[in-house]
Structure formats: C-alpha cells, structure tokens
Amino acid sequence: MKEPYDFRTANLLGHDEQQRRLGPLRKAMSDAGFRAALVNTPANLYYLTGRVYRGYLYIAADSETVHYLVRRPNHLEGDGVHLIGKPAEINGVLADAGVPVGTEVALELGSMSYDDAMRLSRVLGLDAPSGDISPLLRAVRAVKTDAELKMLRMSGQRQTLVYERIPHLYREGMSDIEFQIEIERASRLGGCLGQFRVAGSEMEIFMGNVLTGENADTPSPYDFAMGGAGLGPSLPVGADGTIIRPGIPVMVDVNGNYTGYMTDMTRCYVCGTPNEEAVRANQLSVDICSELAGMMTPGAAASDLYHRAVEMATAAGLESNFMGHRSHAGFVGHGVGIEINELPVIAPRSRDILQAGNVIALEPKFVIPGLGAVGVENTYIVRDSGPAERITNAPQNIISLD
Amino acid sequence: MKEPYDFRTANLLGHDEQQRRLGPLRKAMSDAGFRAALVNTPANLYYLTGRVYRGYLYIAADSETVHYLVRRPNHLEGDGVHLIGKPAEINGVLADAGVPVGTEVALELGSMSYDDAMRLSRVLGLDAPSGDISPLLRAVRAVKTDAELKMLRMSGQRQTLVYERIPHLYREGMSDIEFQIEIERASRLGGCLGQFRVAGSEMEIFMGNVLTGENADTPSPYDFAMGGAGLGPSLPVGADGTIIRPGIPVMVDVNGNYTGYMTDMTRCYVCGTPNEEAVRANQLSVDICSELAGMMTPGAAASDLYHRAVEMATAAGLESNFMGHRSHAGFVGHGVGIEINELPVIAPRSRDILQAGNVIALEPKFVIPGLGAVGVENTYIVRDSGPAERITNAPQNIISLD
C-alpha cells in the first residue's frame, strides 16, 4: 500500500520530467511578460517537484534552474535547495545563490490570501503583487505529461477494483452513511489516500458523496454536480442517514485519489429491482458519456460537449432532471488531476478548447423526484485522435446489491 | 447519527445566539474603525449563522441587522436573505434593502485569495480592499459562547467513546495505516463528520495521524505537532505502512469533529509491555497537561504555559525529545473549535492572554529514537476561575492492545 519515496529529495520528479512540466510554464511566463515566479501551494509544488513541502519554488522564465526555498521539512536535499526560516529571507538567499533578483516576481494570486500576497510582495520590495501565475499554472496543468497519465491510469485501476467490491459491502437495513463508511474503509484498504484536493476554499467534502432517495434533491451550497443535506449544517452535502430502500437507487461518487492524482467515478446500485425510469436515465447517462467521449478530440469546444449532453437529455424528456432537479449544476464535466476541479470545464459558457493530454471527468447525472440520483461518471484522457480513453472501468449498469 | 436541521433556514443559530456572536465582533469592528464587513468563508459563515452557504454575510458595525447574500443553495429563507447570481449584484441588492452602502467594507483578507479580494473590492467601488476582518474574527472566535461550549463538550464525549473502542480494533500484524483505517471507520460510525477544518491552505491532513516507531521521527512539511512520512509524497504526513511491533507505542491523534466543532485528543497504545522510557515520557506528558490545566485561568500568558512545559521536559532530561526530535514543533498547544488551528497559540513568542471561554488543546508530546512518539493530547475549556475543564476524558495511560 505504501509508495516508498526518498523523503530527503527535493525534486522527486527527476530532471527530465520536471523540465517537461517547467517548459510549457516558462513559455507561458515569457508570453505573459513574467520574468520570474514563486509557487507555494501544495498542489502546485507537488506538480513541479513531485512532493509537497512548505515554502516556495522560484522559477525564472529564462532558466532551467529552479530554487527550492524550504521552510519545512528541514532535511530536504538537492541542487538549488535553500532552507529559510521566514519569507523575509527569500531575497537574500536568492541573491547569495547568484539569482538576479528583480521586483517582477509573479505569485499564485488565485490561491494565496490577500494578506499573504501583500506581505510577500513587500518582502520582494513591491507595494503590490506584480503578476499572477495562477491562470498560467491552471492552463499548463490541464495538459498532463505521460508520467501524470500513468498515475491517473493507476488511480483509475485501483478505484475500479474498489468499486467492484462495493456490492459486497451492502447489508440490509443500512443507511446511506453506513454504506458510505464501508465504502470509505474499502477504498482506504485499497490504497486511497483519502485527501480530496480542491482548488479554492469554497468547496468542502469528505471522501465523497453517497446519495439515495429524496435526499439527492436537497440543494447544497457547494459547486458539486449533486447535493444532499449531509449529516449536519456545518457540512451540508451528501448522505443524511436515509435508509436504503428496495428499488431506490444509491449513487456512489467517492474519492479516487490513489496516487496523488484523482480519478472521478460514479456508479449506481440498487437492492431489489430498479425502477424502469431509473434504468432508462442511467442508460442515457452512459450513452451521453459514450457520445461525448467520441467528440473529445483535440480542437473540440468544451461548450459544444455541454450542449450535446443537454440535447440528448432533452430528446429523452429528462431536461428538467438533468444535473439536478430543484437546483441544477451548471456543467457536465471538469478537468481532474491533482485537484478535483481543474481545466477544462465542460459548461455552456466555457471557452476551453480540448487538447491531447486533457483529463476530463464527465458526469451526466439525473435527479428524479421520488427516486433520487441516477447516472454514471467516468474519467477520460483526450488522445491525439479517436475517442477519448476511459480510465474508470467498473460496469456502468445499475448494479444489484442483492 | 444524523442531526436534523431545517436546510431552508438561513440563520440556524436563532436571533439571541447570533447576537451573542455578532456583539463582540461589531464592537471589535467599531474599535478598528470598520463600518461594515462581508464574511464569506465556510468556517466564519458557520460561526455567524450556524450553517454553511455559498455567498456573503453583510454585517454593519452600528446595526443588529445582517444580510445574507446567497449564491447557493437557492432555497434559503429568512429575514435579510437575498439570492444573488454573482458578486457584482451585491451593491444593488444592499441598496434595494435600504442599506447605506459606502466604500468601507472590510473583507476576510486573511483567507480570501488576492484575486478574489481585488475583484470584490472593484465590485464595491474600490481600487483595493479597505479593511481586514480576519484578525477580528479570529479574536472573537477564540472566546466561545455557551452554545459553542456545549457542542465542544458533545464532541469530546463522542470522541471519548470512540477512543475507548480503539483497543478492540487492533489485530496482530496490523500496520499503522490498517489500524488507522479501523479507527477511522469506528469514528465515522460514532458520528464523526470526517472533515478536518484547517485555517489557511498550508496544512493538509486526512482524518488524523497514527504513528509508530521510527516513522514518528520523519519530519513533515506541515505545522502539526508530529510528522511521519505518510503513504506518498503528495501528502507526506502520518502513517507510512510500518508494522506495529510489540513494545513499540502507537500514537493515535484522529479527528474529533462530531458536531462542526472539533475536540483534539491523542492517546498511546501498545501491544506487549511498554518500554519503561515510553511509560515515563507518557506520564510526563500527562503531568504537563495537568500542570498547565491548573495554570489556564483568565489572564495567564500563553507564553508562560509554553515555558513551563519546556521546563518540566528539561527537568526530566527529555528536552531534546520534546515536540519532536529531528524536527521540533514550535508550540505545545493551540485553540480549537470550528477549525483545528484557532487562537490562542501556546508558543514561546505568543502574546495571547487567556480568557474564560477559550478552548485549548494541549499536546506535550515526545519523540524517542527507536521507540517513536509518546504522549497525550487533551482539550480544555478555560473557566472563570480554577483549573481548566478537560473535555477529552479517555484514560491517559499507555493502553494495552492485548
């Protein structure tokens, strides 16, 4: 279950893989007129070094060399590693390392707090931040390297193995949350890291979402595809203690973070015979996934994918149930990788154009009053040509719990 | 297990309890010269309304009336609720509601991203944010109301019940992570919400930390008391798959969020006979907790508590093992409530002075080479007088797993 790693090595990617990620970022920096950048969020440090540390990564647009400005842990080693006690030491450490420190250093302004951004800017000799590296990182991370795709395929395989065990975890009389807890345990025993990395501070969830019956129609504050009242008002999303009833589907959408990279998969289960309407809506969800997978080639417009999904839902008379019922999510898919909400976004007003190496979760789901949530979610890799590669391969029909 | 709540009601606290929280905040706003504020983080919305929603809470220093500017969910009801589609509508909605909208609106600049803060400021007609409500909220939240203390005591009771089950979850040959997974399941079945709310973006953890043997001496990037290599470099903290060996203690520090409010408790377990050194260090940890609990009265300086703990560790010859060995944490305790890292901070340079209603987790822990991590953690309520009230009451000795 453990993935051994050298916890002293600052760059766990190795030189070549790191440069494969830095190359497009440095080009984007040049295009944006940014001479240098400091990266500090766990997600982006993991992307650019293969590990999380507390501190900063200094990147220059015109140099392959990076500098690791490390606050913790204090044992990191490697070329360009500099231990610092506080951000105020950054300028001096870089100057000592022969880096021509100027004032133009872009920061992660999309995630760094206003207070931290102002404090760090002052350290760099500025009155205010001079550039925002966040959108560049989001764009570069949307196109995965082969090494990243390998980790995503591995997460998909492990998540599929766990999903295939789900029917065996159900016991008669269970509530949604009791069922979820057994799925959480099976996931963790299967190597799931548990952590659900989300960009931004407005989305909160624990391990995923198991929904059955009317609870699926309770709108949530969060920007997830589905809602649910949750167990209390401090985290109002997901399972609420509803007992699982014969004929009423249970939708399972739990954490696929097995490698630091997440796949996203949803399947439905039922004890007894599933209602015909549920079977029909689930099949429509599978069909929309297949249709969109065929359209997911480089150059395709994300908005076209969304509109095609709506068209198919409308043709089946399920337009008002698509992506919710009392409340509707405004997308049908999203990029996924280190975080659950990456680019591209498959939404009506998205301007994203698909590229080879995009990894996209499609989740055309339906909420049917009296029945609850039905549908599947799959994660795909956009290839150079042909339909996208599905990497979440558990059976897609409504699975029997009997 | 479920706590039923009316998911349509915007203010789940009721008028009186909400005013008990708003009162000190409005006074702090007046003292700081802030006329109004917009609050938007899940933690602070939960604090001020009893629920999480996506949007803003508008607070005026000179008025008991608040306005709920709600983006999601779209069904919220109550006095002062205004549904908005995007932040740009805030000014118009408030003007329509008769609020004299000026330009001086403080924001949560300690958590809101720089980009969001600038965007929201422009919406409010400003070139840059005019005030920071974050430190005021942190200070107000450090003194809990009776209703909050009730929820914290309830979390402590539920967490204690789960901890008392822990010895029964161990099976011979288990690894640290296998043991942790069973503790996670027992916690969740006991009502744990799972979510680990942390202020800021630099600390990441999933459900807690189970450490045994040398792994406890692997420094982590995060600002937790203890480290551990974790299962991989994307989340380098905690259990790493080490097999639990006879005589080697296992330290368990898992999530106490049973009510939206978290208690923090750590206990140690061992199969076979615990090493004498481990027993002695654990007893010292218990003794430091008792000593500091006696000192935790209103007016006490947080730094004095820290220094007393170091003094006791030094007297016992365990100074170099205190709060880590290869890497040392710079504190011995921290405020806890909706988030795990609240005020006051029990650290050498802390200027915090204790007040009645503070809730503080003390975790005087030791890392002993060859043995691992030993010690306890307890959560306390600071009272008007006398020793602090301990609300995490599982037995404190090293518990046998046999």
Side-chain angles (χ1 to χ4, degrees):
Chain A
M1 182 180 295
K2 181 188 176 184
E3 295 178 42
Y5 67 97
D6 182 349
F7 59 82
R8 295 183 187 276
T9 302
N11 173 17
L12 286 173
L13 297 176
H15 175 269
D16 292 356
E17 177 63 18
Q18 186 176 54
Q19 291 304 323
R20 270 189 286 274
R21 303 182 190 190
L22 278 172
L25 180 63
R26 287 172 47 219
K27 179 171 183 314
M29 287 169 64
S30 289
D31 292 349
F34 296 157
R35 234 176 35 76
L38 283 173
V39 167
N40 74 300
T41 55
N44 283 322
L45 289 176
Y46 180 61
Y47 176 66
L48 292 170
T49 72
R51 66 168 302 135
V52 171
Y53 61 89
R54 185 168 180 212
Y56 307 87
L57 184 71
Y58 177 88
I59 303 159
D62 65 0
S63 168
E64 280 199 2
T65 306
V66 293
H67 292 273
Y68 306 81
L69 305 157
V70 180
R71 298 179 71 178
R72 293 188 69 165
N74 58 6
H75 61 246
L76 282 205
E77 296 169 357
D79 288 346
V81 170
H82 314 275
L83 300 180
I84 61 170
K86 50 187 176 180
E89 298 169 21
I90 291 176
N91 267 347
V93 164
L94 287 175
D96 289 349
V99 178
V101 189
T103 51
E104 289 169 26
V105 180
L107 304 176
E108 288 195 58
L109 301 179
S111 29
M112 185 179 284
S113 77
Y114 180 87
D115 284 346
D116 284 347
M118 292 305 286
R119 215 172 285 133
L120 192 53
S121 297
R122 274 179 227 116
V123 161
L124 299 168
L126 296 165
D127 290 331
S130 67
D132 186 2
I133 193 79
S134 294
L136 281 58
L137 278 160
R138 271 174 75 76
V140 169
R141 272 176 48 197
V143 179
K144 274 68 177 173
T145 68
D146 287 344
E148 290 185 284
L149 295 178
K150 198 176 150 189
M151 293 179 85
L152 280 153
R153 286 192 190 95
M154 200 184 294
S155 282
Q157 284 161 10
R158 293 183 188 175
Q159 193 182 16
T160 298
L161 286 173
V162 169
Y163 267 59
E164 285 170 349
R165 290 210 53 224
I166 289 178
H168 308 288
L169 303 174
Y170 174 76
R171 300 286 174 267
E172 205 185 317
M174 268 184 171
S175 67
D176 51 6
I177 185 66
E178 286 165 341
F179 191 35
Q180 176 167 340
I181 291 166
E182 299 311 318
I183 299 169
E184 289 172 2
R185 175 174 178 271
S187 298
R188 293 281 279 155
L189 287 172
C192 182
L193 300 173
Q195 193 199 19
F196 212 104
R197 272 210 181 87
V198 185
S201 59
E202 285 182 340
M203 282 159 82
E204 301 176 304
I205 195 163
F206 178 73
M207 268 301 275
N209 218 344
V210 173
L211 291 171
T212 192
E214 283 297 334
N215 182 45
D217 207 11
T218 305
S220 129
Y222 305 111
D223 202 17
F224 296 110
M226 298 284 108
L231 296 174
S234 75
L235 188 64
V237 65
D240 76 335
T242 301
I243 300 295
I244 296 168
R245 302 277 177 210
I248 305 294
V250 189
M251 175 179 274
V252 175
D253 182 2
V254 300
N255 193 324
N257 178 8
Y258 290 77
T259 61
Y261 284 79
M262 281 182 274
T263 42
D264 210 351
M265 173 159 50
T266 300
R267 294 295 186 264
C268 286
Y269 303 83
V270 74
C271 55
T273 309
N275 174 297
E276 258 180 50
E277 201 177 354
V279 172
R280 194 171 73 93
N282 190 76
Q283 187 56 48
L284 178 58
S285 177
V286 173
D287 293 344
I288 292 174
C289 280
S290 301
E291 172 80 4
L292 268 50
M295 295 169 69
M296 291 205 293
T297 48
S303 57
D304 286 348
L305 295 172
Y306 179 85
H307 292 306
R308 179 64 186 129
V310 172
E311 197 174 71
M312 290 177 74
T314 306
L318 286 171
E319 188 184 357
S320 70
N321 310 94
F322 184 60
M323 300 307 291
H325 171 247
R326 277 202 287 205
S327 173
H328 295 262
F331 63 93
V332 72
H334 53 88
V336 64
I338 298 171
E339 292 172 311
I340 201 70
N341 49 349
E342 301 197 354
L343 293 177
V345 181
I346 313 298
R349 270 169 288 186
S350 172
R351 290 179 189 178
D352 298 335
I353 302 295
L354 269 55
Q355 304 174 67
N358 283 161
V359 176
I360 300 171
L362 294 178
E363 46 181 327
K365 296 173 181 172
F366 299 90
V367 174
I368 302 170
L371 272 184
V374 189
V376 297
E377 175 172 28
N378 286 302
T379 303
Y380 298 88
I381 296 173
V382 179
R383 296 186 279 204
D384 290 326
S385 66
E389 171 191 349
R390 177 151 68 92
I391 58 173
T392 47
N393 290 310
Q396 299 195 78
N397 55 311
I398 300 182
I399 310 278
S400 169
L401 293 175
D402 299 314
Chain B
M1 182 178 294
K2 181 187 176 183
E3 294 177 46
Y5 68 97
D6 182 350
F7 58 81
R8 294 181 187 278
T9 301
N11 174 15
L12 285 173
L13 297 176
H15 175 269
D16 292 357
E17 178 63 18
Q18 186 176 53
Q19 292 303 324
R20 269 190 286 275
R21 303 182 190 191
L22 278 172
L25 180 63
R26 288 173 45 221
K27 180 174 183 315
M29 286 168 62
S30 291
D31 292 349
F34 296 157
R35 231 176 37 75
L38 284 172
V39 168
N40 75 301
T41 55
N44 283 321
L45 289 175
Y46 180 62
Y47 176 67
L48 292 169
T49 72
R51 66 167 302 134
V52 171
Y53 61 89
R54 186 170 180 210
Y56 307 87
L57 185 72
Y58 177 88
I59 303 158
D62 64 1
S63 169
E64 280 199 2
T65 306
V66 292
H67 292 273
Y68 307 81
L69 305 157
V70 181
R71 297 179 71 180
R72 294 185 68 166
N74 58 8
H75 60 246
L76 283 204
E77 295 168 357
D79 289 345
V81 171
H82 314 277
L83 300 181
I84 60 170
K86 50 187 177 183
E89 297 169 21
I90 291 175
N91 267 348
V93 164
L94 288 174
D96 289 349
V99 178
V101 189
T103 51
E104 289 170 28
V105 181
L107 305 176
E108 288 194 61
L109 301 179
S111 30
M112 185 179 284
S113 77
Y114 180 88
D115 284 346
D116 284 347
M118 293 305 288
R119 216 173 283 134
L120 191 54
S121 297
R122 276 179 225 115
V123 161
L124 299 168
L126 296 166
D127 290 331
S130 67
D132 187 1
I133 193 79
S134 294
L136 283 57
L137 278 160
R138 270 174 77 75
V140 169
R141 273 176 47 195
V143 180
K144 273 70 178 173
T145 68
D146 287 345
E148 291 185 283
L149 294 179
K150 198 175 150 191
M151 293 179 85
L152 279 153
R153 285 192 189 96
M154 199 184 295
S155 281
Q157 284 161 10
R158 293 182 188 177
Q159 193 182 17
T160 298
L161 286 173
V162 169
Y163 267 59
E164 285 171 348
R165 289 210 51 224
I166 288 177
H168 308 288
L169 302 174
Y170 174 75
R171 299 287 173 269
E172 205 186 317
M174 268 184 171
S175 67
D176 51 6
I177 184 67
E178 287 165 340
F179 191 35
Q180 176 168 339
I181 291 167
E182 300 310 319
I183 298 168
E184 288 173 2
R185 176 175 177 270
S187 298
R188 292 282 278 154
L189 287 171
C192 181
L193 299 173
Q195 195 199 17
F196 212 104
R197 271 211 181 86
V198 185
S201 59
E202 283 182 341
M203 281 160 83
E204 302 176 303
I205 196 162
F206 178 74
M207 270 300 275
N209 219 344
V210 172
L211 291 171
T212 191
E214 282 298 334
N215 183 45
D217 207 10
T218 305
S220 129
Y222 305 112
D223 202 16
F224 297 109
M226 297 284 108
L231 297 174
S234 75
L235 187 64
V237 64
D240 75 336
T242 300
I243 300 295
I244 297 168
R245 303 273 178 213
I248 305 294
V250 188
M251 174 178 276
V252 175
D253 181 2
V254 299
N255 192 324
N257 178 9
Y258 290 77
T259 61
Y261 285 78
M262 281 181 275
T263 42
D264 210 351
M265 172 160 49
T266 300
R267 294 294 186 264
C268 287
Y269 304 84
V270 73
C271 55
T273 309
N275 174 297
E276 256 182 51
E277 200 177 353
V279 172
R280 195 171 73 93
N282 190 76
Q283 187 56 48
L284 177 58
S285 178
V286 173
D287 292 345
I288 293 174
C289 280
S290 302
E291 172 79 5
L292 268 50
M295 295 169 69
M296 291 205 294
T297 48
S303 57
D304 286 348
L305 296 171
Y306 180 84
H307 293 305
R308 180 65 186 128
V310 171
E311 197 174 72
M312 291 175 73
T314 306
L318 286 171
E319 188 185 359
S320 68
N321 311 94
F322 183 60
M323 301 306 291
H325 171 247
R326 278 202 288 203
S327 174
H328 295 262
F331 63 93
V332 72
H334 54 87
V336 64
I338 298 170
E339 292 171 311
I340 201 69
N341 49 348
E342 301 197 354
L343 294 177
V345 180
I346 314 299
R349 270 167 288 186
S350 174
R351 290 180 188 174
D352 298 335
I353 302 295
L354 270 54
Q355 299 173 257
N358 283 161
V359 176
I360 299 171
L362 294 178
E363 45 180 328
K365 296 173 181 174
F366 299 90
V367 174
I368 302 170
L371 271 184
V374 190
V376 298
E377 176 173 25
N378 285 302
T379 303
Y380 298 87
I381 296 172
V382 179
R383 297 186 279 205
D384 290 325
S385 65
E389 171 190 349
R390 177 152 68 94
I391 59 174
T392 47
N393 291 312
Q396 299 194 81
N397 55 314
I398 301 182
I399 310 280
S400 170
L401 292 175
D402 300 315

